Structures are given as C-alpha cells and as structure tokens.
Amino acid sequence: GESVGLHLPTLSVQEGDNSIINCAYSNSASDYFIWYKQESGKGPQFIIDIRSNMDKRQGQRVTVLLNKTVKHLSLQIAATQPGDSAVYFCAENSNTGFQKLVFGTGTRLLVSP
Amino acid sequence: DGGITQSPKYLFRKEGQNVTLSCEQNLNHDAMYWYRQDPGQGLRLIYYSQIVNDFQKGDIAEGYSVSREKKESFPLTVTSAQKNPTAFYLCASSTTGSAFHMNTEAFFGQGTRLTVV
C-alpha cells in the first residue's frame, strides 16, 4: 500500500538464517511489483521484480512470491549476510493510465553476526 | 555512465527561505518522481511527472513546487510554506511503458539531505 509515514517495522535475524519480508498491496489492478533495498543515507536500489502473471521469481539468493488472491508480496533472502542489513521496500505499479509507483512502508532488516 | 544525479548531497536552509533541489537523468526516461523520507520512515510521494511540461501532485505536495521544462531535469523547490522541510529527498525516474512486457522499475538518485537551521 502507500507509504503513510509510519515508523518502520524491524526484522532481526542471525547471519546464515533465511529472512522473509512481507508486503501487502492495495490496488488489485497493479500488474508489476518491485523490491528495493535502501542502505543508510543512500537511494533505494532495485533487487528483483515480478509481474502479475507469475507467482514466483528467483534471483541470486532472493526469491519473490506473489499472492494475488490476498494481495500479498514477500521477499525471501537465503543465507542472510550482514551486508543485507538495510531497509527493504516493495513497490507496485498499476496498469491503469499513468503508471505511478506506489511504495510500501518498508521493513528494516538487521542481521547479527 | 547512465544514471540519475541529485545535487547537492547536503543542503542547509534558513527558515523562511526557498531552496531548489536538482535532479538530472540521462536514462531517457519519461517519468520522474520526487519522494520525501523522514528518519525511520517510508517514502512519501511529493510530485511526479509523466512527460515534459506536465506534472501532478503526489500525496504531500503542499509547500513544494516543481517544473519539467526538459525531459532530463525535474527540479524541486521547497518553499517557505513547507512547515517541516528537514528530511531526506529522493528523486527517481522510470519509463512509462504502456505495454505489459515493458519494465517500469524506477531508478533512484543518491538523495539530498535538507536541514533547516
């Protein structure tokens, strides 16, 4: 859904664990979804994307799952490393008229050695 | 290299002054966006532009203004009407492909941190 300035939820994991970050979206017309990683003091960087005609897509150590029935998106990070510590945002891009990116609130991932 | 550049990285403003944040991209993207990020919070959309000479208000446009005279440039002015301007400002650009197969991921600049002194 749209960011409304709420404080970020935090996920704390140990190095080597698998991490799962969740995101709920609001627009059933959205057909393209993106996960971004933002390190402190920097702009968000693209991680992985998925289209609505898919329910799973895998990258290097990351997997995105899409459940259109409940409008839910998740990012799975395998073997989490300290360098994965960052804020993770999902974004949705509706296919109705102008494709404005709408960002979720974000989740802070903290990885302990 | 292709990319999106914001300047300056840090900006200090006195109360009552207007300041303009620069955003330039050489990715040939039609769409550009400005977001505001407060500490520990998500991204909030200020303004966006689909095409040259056109722009739309986002969720928190009050106290801000933009222009889009050139495709590669989308400057943001933080006016004195913005009551709490201290924040991290992010500019982004993307394609606006209407075809389903076209990717429309946004590319972000490195941000401008604005502080009111």
Side-chain angles (χ1 to χ4, degrees):
Chain A
E2 292 200 18
S3 170
V4 293
L6 299 175
H7 288 278
L8 297 174
T10 299
L11 174 65
S12 296
V13 300
Q14 294 286 325
E15 182 177 1
D17 288 351
N18 296 332
S19 302
I20 299 176
I21 300 171
N22 297 304
C23 177
Y25 64 94
S26 56
N27 188 351
S28 58
S30 294
D31 66 351
Y32 179 60
F33 304 88
I34 313 165
W35 278 100
Y36 287 92
K37 173 185 179 182
Q38 186 181 26
E39 296 176 330
S40 181
K42 297 183 179 179
Q45 289 183 301
F46 173 90
I47 301 174
I48 192 168
D49 58 2
I50 189 168
R51 297 205 167 274
S52 59
N53 64 344
M54 303 170 69
D55 53 20
K56 181 178 180 179
R57 189 164 187 221
Q58 288 184 293
Q60 187 176 15
R61 283 201 306 120
V62 294
T63 301
V64 54
L65 299 177
L66 175 62
N67 185 331
K68 295 181 287 293
T69 302
V70 295
K71 292 186 283 189
H72 183 268
L73 198 65
S74 69
L75 176 71
Q76 300 179 358
I77 305 174
T80 313
Q81 302 167 1
D84 295 326
S85 294
V87 176
Y88 291 82
F89 294 97
C90 66
E92 60 183 297
N93 192 347
S94 68
N95 195 29
T96 54
F98 175 56
Q99 299 185 61
K100 182 180 70 172
L101 275 180
V102 176
F103 282 81
T105 308
T107 297
R108 185 181 306 280
L109 177 65
L110 296 175
V111 183
S112 304
Chain B
D1 289 349
I4 183 165
T5 302
Q6 289 186 242
S7 62
K9 188 172 176 64
Y10 299 97
L11 186 60
F12 296 89
R13 188 195 94 171
K14 292 183 180 180
E15 287 192 25
Q17 284 184 336
N18 293 354
V19 289
T20 298
L21 283 59
S22 171
C23 179
E24 304 277 332
Q25 54 98 1
N26 60 5
L27 300 166
N28 200 33
H29 285 165
D30 286 314
M32 296 187 75
Y33 313 77
W34 274 106
Y35 292 90
R36 169 181 173 139
Q37 188 175 33
D38 292 286
Q41 298 188 18
L43 301 175
R44 292 189 287 169
L45 182 64
I46 305 172
Y47 268 98
Y48 62 99
S49 168
Q50 182 181 8
I51 199 168
V52 173
N53 293 322
D54 181 69
F55 49 83
Q56 305 293 331
K57 292 182 178 180
D59 303 314
I60 56 165
E62 185 175 352
Y64 299 98
S65 65
V66 293
S67 63
R68 188 82 188 279
E69 298 176 1
K70 298 185 295 183
K71 186 175 186 178
E72 59 270 23
S73 179
F74 190 41
L76 173 75
T77 297
V78 184
T79 75
S80 57
Q82 169 50 238
K83 298 306 179 188
N84 186 21
T86 295
F88 188 50
Y89 290 88
L90 285 160
C91 180
S93 70
S94 71
T95 61
T96 54
S98 56
F100 183 78
H101 67 278
M102 290 183 69
N103 291 337
T104 53
E105 67 180 275
F107 292 83
F108 283 85
Q110 289 302 298
T112 293
R113 189 167 299 281
L114 173 64
T115 304
V116 173
V117 297

